[in-house]
Amino acid sequence: MATKVMRYQIIKPIDCNWDLFGKVLRDIQYDTRQIMNRTIQYCWEWQGYSSDYKIAKGEYPKTRETFGYSDMRGYAYDKLKSIYQRLNTANLTTSITRAVQRWKTDTKDVIRGDKSIACFRADVPIDLHNKSMNIEKSDDGYIVALSLASNIYKKELDRNSGQFSVLINEGNKSNRDVLDRCIAGQYKISASQILREKNKWFLNLSYSFEISKPDKSRDNILGIDVGIVHPVYMAVYNSPARRSISGGEIDNFRKQVQKRIKELQLQGKQCGEGRIGHGIKTRVKPIEFAKDKVANFRNTINHKYSKAIVEFAIKNGCGIIQMEDLKGINTDNVFLKNWTYYDLQQKVKYKAELEGIEVKLIDPQYTSQRCCKCGYIHRDNRPEQAKFKCIDCGFEVNADYNASLNIATPDIDKIILEFLKCET
């Protein structure tokens, strides 16, 4: 089972005005923060009590015998439900569960002094239980019914229901497909969140679905080489199938933005009062905006490339995708540093696993110097960036294609290691 999150902007409430809906969201967000911080406090107090109990009696106390609950979630809920009465009870439970999970994750680091006790800020997301949402498609678009207010709070608001219907911006086709599949029951809605960014409210819709099982009929291996001339070069082991993606799209955009950033930096030195504002933050704001554009472009391109890679693997019956392990990437390579190849690999891995394709990372050492035809390894085999010519057998081919064929070879790490042993 896989779980993903898709973000949708809340355009407007359907059954009330923004003044009321905004007030409800702010009130519930405030209460959510208090609830989660109080829950963390209870967990910390229980940890201290447990430690003292262990010292005194040689064993840790049992939560059920001490509090009457199997864990801290029940105890916190019983304490907090009468204090914070504006939240839908299912959402209250979800917030408490999230805080307890955070505590469990941090406990060891907190005790060692490596991490501070979690403290949730004012912008904490509002939790939504999976049963607190219902999605429908109408002539106006996609409507999401959100159960937010408790019975007590809805009376305070003079409403007949604690549920609020909102119109969301469905975005592109991929976003709409997710909504349609949730409506059809193909995807199961999971606990989700509402959050606020730059005075806009968004729904982070969480959904889950079954992952495809590995397809045993796919016995081919796809090798992926990443580089400068071609960000991605693909080749299939023992097959003529190959495909490359040109790097011009990435490099041109990066150069354009870097040029624009330099122009903005020069403008900042000679800016008028409109750019001076409250100081340095106002001056660098356009530069930060330009950097955000680069990050968004990288994310979009990596989604595009990863989709193309997985589709190529499926088309050629590949059950395995092999890529270079880039953890030891050369920090002198400016292009590879400026482009998030690790992010690309993560997206490939995620999309491939959904299709039942295994992803393996191999040691990239010598894959660019090895001849994919005879197996001979030598640094002189690659006289130029884009050219490969084996000095042993004379085989000549595109350097990236040669590297991708090597990467696609089964057990290539062991093959290279054996060759190097024999050479020495």
Side-chain angles (χ1 to χ4, degrees):
M1 182 73 74
T3 300
K4 290 187 71 174
V5 176
M6 192 71 78
R7 176 172 294 191
Y8 301 91
Q9 183 183 344
I10 297 175
I11 299 175
K12 64 177 182 179
I14 302 298
D15 51 3
C16 67
N17 57 40
W18 257 116
D19 290 338
L20 176 60
F21 187 59
K23 174 189 180 327
V24 170
L25 291 179
R26 289 190 297 273
D27 286 348
I28 291 177
Q29 186 176 51
Y30 174 84
D31 285 356
T32 299
R33 180 194 186 192
Q34 302 303 314
I35 288 163
M36 296 186 71
N37 283 329
R38 289 285 292 272
T39 301
I40 292 291
Q41 180 186 340
Y42 293 145
C43 291
W44 172 245
E45 290 171 354
W46 169 248
Q47 181 65 42
Y49 172 77
S50 297
S51 299
D52 292 342
Y53 190 96
K54 174 72 162 56
I55 294 171
K57 300 191 176 183
E59 62 178 2
Y60 287 108
K62 293 180 172 57
T63 314
R64 181 173 292 281
E65 292 177 1
T66 306
F67 293 123
Y69 301 96
S70 59
D71 60 19
M72 289 304 299
R73 288 177 297 178
Y75 175 76
Y77 177 80
D78 195 44
K79 285 279 190 179
L80 299 172
K81 67 180 180 180
S82 59
I83 302 174
Y84 300 98
Q85 299 183 342
R86 293 190 287 202
L87 276 73
N88 171 288
T89 53
N91 299 340
L92 169 63
T93 302
T94 304
S95 295
I96 291 171
T97 299
R98 182 157 66 98
V100 171
Q101 288 174 342
R102 173 66 180 274
W103 170 257
K104 289 179 178 178
T105 301
D106 294 350
T107 300
K108 290 183 179 178
D109 290 333
V110 169
I111 292 173
R112 285 197 301 262
D114 296 334
K115 183 182 286 188
S116 300
I117 299 172
C119 180
F120 298 95
R121 302 185 304 178
D123 61 352
V124 62
I126 297 170
D127 291 298
L128 294 168
H129 190 272
N130 66 322
K131 293 182 179 179
S132 295
M133 292 170 289
N134 184 56
I135 305 171
E136 293 182 354
K137 191 173 183 179
S138 70
D139 293 337
D140 296 326
Y142 291 88
I143 308 294
V144 184
L146 304 167
S147 296
L148 298 172
S150 65
N151 289 332
I152 293 175
Y153 191 34
K154 77 177 183 183
K155 290 179 181 178
E156 180 184 324
L157 298 170
D158 194 24
R159 284 177 60 89
N160 294 324
S161 172
Q163 190 177 79
F164 294 80
S165 294
V166 298
L167 177 69
I168 59 173
N169 182 358
E170 67 267 25
N172 57 32
K173 185 178 182 302
S174 296
N175 294 41
R176 292 194 297 273
D177 286 345
V178 169
L179 294 171
D180 289 337
R181 290 171 184 173
C182 287
I183 293 171
Q186 294 172 268
Y187 290 166
K188 182 181 178 182
I189 297 176
S190 306
S192 302
Q193 294 179 333
I194 297 175
L195 64 157
R196 188 181 188 184
E197 288 185 1
K198 298 178 180 179
N199 294 321
K200 294 179 181 179
W201 291 95
F202 296 87
L203 169 65
N204 272 7
L205 178 66
S206 180
Y207 58 97
S208 57
F209 51 92
E210 294 292 338
I211 299 177
S212 302
K213 294 181 180 179
D215 189 344
K216 301 299 182 183
S217 66
R218 299 175 183 164
D219 54 1
N220 293 332
I221 300 176
L222 177 66
I224 307 293
D225 178 59
V226 296
I228 298 172
V229 179
H230 299 100
V232 175
Y233 207 110
M234 299 175 268
V236 180
Y237 181 67
N238 277 343
S239 168
R242 60 172 162 171
R243 182 183 173 187
S244 63
I245 297 176
S246 173
E249 185 178 19
I250 295 173
D251 215 21
N252 290 338
F253 184 84
R254 181 172 56 84
K255 287 176 181 178
Q256 289 174 14
V257 175
Q258 286 179 342
K259 180 182 177 182
R260 182 57 180 156
I261 288 174
K262 287 182 181 179
E263 291 174 352
L264 291 169
Q265 287 173 332
L266 290 173
Q267 290 175 14
K269 292 179 181 179
Q270 304 173 9
C271 63
E273 292 184 3
R275 281 279 301 280
I276 293 175
H278 295 287
I280 189 65
K281 286 184 71 175
T282 304
R283 294 190 183 213
V284 302
K285 191 173 181 180
I287 298 172
E288 293 301 321
F289 176 75
K291 290 180 178 178
D292 286 342
K293 288 188 69 174
V294 174
N296 291 336
F297 183 77
R298 287 173 175 169
N299 185 58
T300 301
I301 287 295
N302 283 343
H303 270 300
K304 176 181 171 183
Y305 290 175
S306 59
K307 181 181 178 182
I309 289 169
V310 173
E311 287 178 347
F312 186 78
I314 294 171
K315 180 181 177 181
N316 289 280
C318 298
I320 298 174
I321 294 177
Q322 293 193 162
M323 298 185 290
E324 302 166 280
D325 188 345
L326 298 178
K327 288 180 182 176
I329 192 171
N330 183 2
T331 54
D332 294 329
N333 191 317
V334 177
F335 183 85
L336 294 183
K337 276 199 305 179
N338 285 343
W339 197 257
T340 51
Y341 279 98
Y342 178 77
D343 176 64
L344 173 61
Q345 287 189 341
Q346 292 301 106
K347 285 179 168 59
V348 170
K349 186 174 186 297
Y350 182 80
K351 289 180 173 66
E353 288 177 348
L354 293 179
E355 297 295 338
I357 300 173
E358 182 183 358
V359 174
K360 293 182 179 180
L361 297 181
I362 61 108
D363 188 344
Q365 267 200 317
Y366 304 107
T367 52
S368 62
Q369 299 177 18
R370 178 182 183 271
C371 176
C372 65
K373 187 174 182 181
C374 71
Y376 186 71
I377 300 173
H378 198 282
R379 63 187 304 174
D380 293 339
N381 281 351
R382 193 165 182 175
E384 301 172 18
Q385 178 66 39
K387 182 179 179 181
F388 181 92
K389 185 175 182 179
C390 181
I391 62 174
D392 188 54
C393 72
F395 178 67
E396 190 172 350
V397 73
N398 176 280
D400 293 330
Y401 177 48
N402 176 77
S404 61
L405 278 174
N406 282 325
I407 294 169
T409 304
D411 299 319
I412 185 62
D413 309 72
K414 295 178 182 178
I415 293 171
I416 290 176
L417 189 60
E418 287 299 320
F419 177 88
L420 296 175
K421 284 181 180 179
C422 292
E423 289 294 296
T424 56

